Amino acid sequence: MSAFPEIERIPYEGPESKNPLAFKHYKEDEVIAGKTMKDHFRFSIAYWHTFRGAGSDPFGPGTMDRPWEGSVDDVENAKNRARVAFEFIEKIGAPFYCFHDRDVAPEGATLKESHANLDAIVDVFLEEQERTGIKLLWGTANLFSNPRFMHGAATSCNADAFAYAAAQVKKMIEVTQRLGGENYVFWGGREGYQTLLNTDMKRELDHLAKFMHMAVDYAKEIGFTGQFLFEPKPKEPTKHQYDFDSAACINFLRTYGLEDHVKMNLETNHATLAGHEMMHEMEFCASQGFLGSVDANTGDLLLGWDTDQFPTNIYLTTQTMLVLLRHGGLAPGGLNFDAKVRRESFEPVDLFHAHIGGMDAFARGLKIAAKIQEEGELDSIIKDRYSSWDTGVGQEIEAGKHNLKSLESYMLEKGEIEPNKSGRQEMLENLINRYI
Ligand code: XUL
Ligand code: CO
């Protein structure tokens, strides 16, 4: 039985369409800058928000109307929900989905029971993947909701919490492998601290590294070849998270010898919370060879927390796509909508509006970014800005032909530097707006 009987597969109707249930820009097989839109974005649906988000907030319970949900959260209900999820993903036309172990199946009374519940849903996922061709972008384990993880998981002061988390990750790597998942994500739900007064920071960081090494080793042992990803977030739920931003994460990975095994999963709203633009996080990761995948969403400037809204700002998607075009895309990563509808948008159809908006915003961003890239004005302005490095002393420094002594001699003879050129920020902002 269909959960969305009035909704067909969302069609592409073009920019002039006024149909709210149609794409205006996202056309999966349209080729832009040498690749189809489908391959540029590798859009993924986040199971936890779209199929488990109830709309609760600290001031009240859930508001969502989800007629397919039964009154008991048992395996049968979870199986039915899994079928509904695939109907939705198929109708919206996304090629991928992502989930945490505890999003998809109820936690049992014992770990053994939880494993069995999960397996029952994975059987359904396999059938549905086969039927629809939809694939798993990444799997992950929820190591933050259960009260046993109140002090964290890999960084808990309680060694048994570490062990329990390790058991969950082992199982989820197996599940991700069984489903052909292309990546595995670590987001440190409570891997941080509330107060340093009770925290042995060095010991916790060492444990986190040990935990990730165990995962990498186990993947190798069973032949799981998916990409491991580390997702930065500076705070929330803890006051300070160890995976603060990509600079902190990459430093951690290099310190503990994990740099060859793990890349980054960057989330827009997390970048904002860390005081960065998403473009900064993406450019930094790309420059260091760590750009893995993106959790696409946006925050609200007036609300200082992780509001996980759907991205609708064309300026943001243009910036994101500019970086992705420059650095050759994301695969095997993708753009996962780690985003939820507002508490007031409680009807099932709102899930469609939200994803259509996000996919269209990215499609427009891609078209604009591809045009900017193709015409080359921006690139040539950046190239020209660094032209002093292409000849003379600049070229020699880059080639390793100088030291402090030789540069002193050079400057003593020359006397003063070549005049600086304007940064032209305003002109460049106008240039971007011209394309938008
Ligand atoms: C939380 C968050 C997570 C991760 C996966 O802010 O982004 O949903 O993406 O655990
Ligand atoms: Co995320």
Side-chain angles (χ1 to χ4, degrees):
M1 215 187 74
S2 167
F4 313 102
E6 290 95 47
I7 300 172
E8 294 299 315
R9 175 159 173 159
I10 303 301
Y12 168 78
E13 291 185 358
E16 302 307 320
S17 168
K18 293 205 166 91
N19 175 4
L21 290 173
F23 293 115
K24 322 293 179 296
H25 295 275
Y26 181 67
K27 191 173 177 216
E28 63 173 25
D29 55 2
E30 183 175 337
V31 175
I32 301 220
K35 261 198 302 203
T36 61
M37 286 204 192
K38 188 175 173 186
D39 288 344
H40 271 289
F41 300 122
R42 297 166 58 81
F43 284 132
S44 157
I45 307 302
Y47 208 95
W48 54 101
H49 285 310
T50 298
F51 310 113
R52 301 312 309 276
S56 60
D57 72 8
F59 303 94
T63 54
M64 295 297 154
D65 176 21
R66 302 288 181 254
W68 55 85
E69 288 289 331
S71 51
V72 204
D73 184 22
D74 58 9
V75 174
E76 277 318 300
N77 184 48
K79 282 185 183 170
N80 180 52
R81 179 195 299 126
R83 306 268 183 212
V84 173
F86 273 81
E87 184 190 343
F88 175 83
I89 302 169
E90 216 185 349
K91 286 188 166 170
I92 200 73
F96 293 99
Y97 70 115
C98 296
F99 68 91
H100 304 79
D101 48 1
R102 302 296 178 250
D103 300 336
V104 301
E107 184 151 9
T110 61
L111 181 62
K112 201 170 162 193
E113 213 179 291
S114 298
H115 281 356
N117 291 353
L118 182 54
D119 285 335
I121 303 308
V122 172
D123 291 342
V124 178
F125 282 173
L126 272 174
E127 270 179 41
E128 290 292 310
Q129 286 189 185
E130 184 79 4
R131 182 183 68 76
T132 59
I134 292 162
K135 295 194 280 186
L136 179 64
L137 185 66
W138 48 262
T140 189
N142 178 328
L143 308 177
F144 42 89
S145 295
N146 191 291
R148 75 172 66 86
F149 299 123
M150 64 172 70
H151 298 296
T155 65
S156 176
C157 50
N158 183 339
D160 270 352
F162 182 108
Y164 204 104
Q168 267 182 257
V169 167
K170 173 181 175 287
K171 179 71 183 171
M172 260 317 286
I173 293 175
E174 292 162 6
V175 162
T176 304
Q177 183 183 35
R178 220 183 129 205
L179 292 170
E182 300 191 20
N183 305 267
Y184 186 91
V185 163
F186 291 104
W187 168 62
R190 294 180 192 275
E191 313 295 27
Y193 59 80
Q194 298 290 17
T195 170
L196 282 174
L197 293 175
N198 65 13
T199 302
D200 185 339
M201 191 192 281
K202 170 76 166 67
R203 211 164 177 182
E204 293 198 0
L205 285 166
D206 288 351
H207 292 168
L208 182 58
K210 215 175 247 332
F211 191 85
M212 286 173 85
H213 271 291
M214 285 181 187
V216 168
D217 290 348
Y218 187 63
K220 201 169 163 203
E221 191 182 322
I222 64 169
F224 171 66
T225 53
Q227 172 69 56
F228 280 104
L229 298 167
F230 195 14
E231 182 174 329
K233 185 175 184 180
K235 54 189 167 196
E236 222 194 291
T238 68
K239 167 172 97 168
H240 180 97
Q241 305 258 139
Y242 294 132
D243 49 3
F244 195 94
D245 61 1
S246 56
C249 288
I250 292 172
N251 179 59
F252 170 86
L253 295 173
R254 284 180 177 146
T255 303
Y256 288 99
L258 286 155
E259 69 274 24
D260 293 336
H261 309 289
V262 185
K263 287 191 167 30
M264 303 301 301
N265 181 38
L266 297 173
E267 178 165 326
T268 322
N269 206 164
H270 297 178
T272 322
L273 290 177
H276 301 305
E277 287 184 338
M278 181 60 165
M279 201 175 182
H280 164 91
E281 287 290 79
M282 293 183 66
E283 197 63 52
F284 179 69
C285 282
S287 74
Q288 301 296 305
F290 280 85
L291 187 56
S293 200
V294 166
D295 270 5
N297 62 15
T298 192
D300 185 311
L301 280 183
L302 303 183
L303 300 170
W305 66 89
D306 195 15
T307 58
D308 283 343
Q309 285 165 240
F310 278 84
T312 53
N313 182 332
I314 308 297
Y315 211 92
L316 171 69
T317 57
T318 300
Q319 285 186 322
T320 307
M321 294 319 296
L322 264 178
V323 183
L324 286 186
L325 287 180
R326 234 179 242 157
H327 297 284
L330 276 176
L335 284 179
N336 171 50
F337 286 113
D338 194 350
K340 59 189 174 200
V341 290
R342 297 304 86 192
R343 190 168 188 265
E344 304 79 7
S345 309
F346 60 89
E347 294 178 4
V349 69
D350 292 307
L351 295 172
F352 285 91
H353 294 310
H355 286 87
I356 290 169
M359 290 159 86
D360 263 347
F362 269 100
R364 277 194 73 190
L366 170 63
K367 289 179 188 170
I368 296 162
K371 196 125 188 71
I372 294 173
Q373 186 91 336
E374 188 190 308
E375 298 192 358
E377 278 176 278
L378 188 62
D379 280 350
S380 73
I381 291 169
I382 296 173
K383 186 156 182 0
D384 183 60
R385 185 158 181 253
Y386 291 87
S387 59
S388 72
W389 293 91
D390 295 333
T391 55
V393 74
Q395 194 182 40
E396 289 161 17
I397 295 171
E398 283 194 350
K401 292 187 184 144
H402 274 288
N403 54 36
L404 293 184
K405 275 198 304 197
S406 66
L407 289 175
E408 183 192 42
S409 309
Y410 166 77
M411 222 55 248
L412 282 172
E413 190 177 321
K414 184 158 187 173
E416 193 44 82
I417 71 164
E418 294 294 322
N420 274 313
K421 295 180 193 167
S422 165
R424 297 266 188 266
Q425 178 169 334
E426 297 75 9
M427 185 189 92
L428 292 171
E429 286 163 350
N430 299 348
L431 181 148
I432 300 290
N433 279 353
R434 210 178 79 216
Y435 284 91
I436 288 178

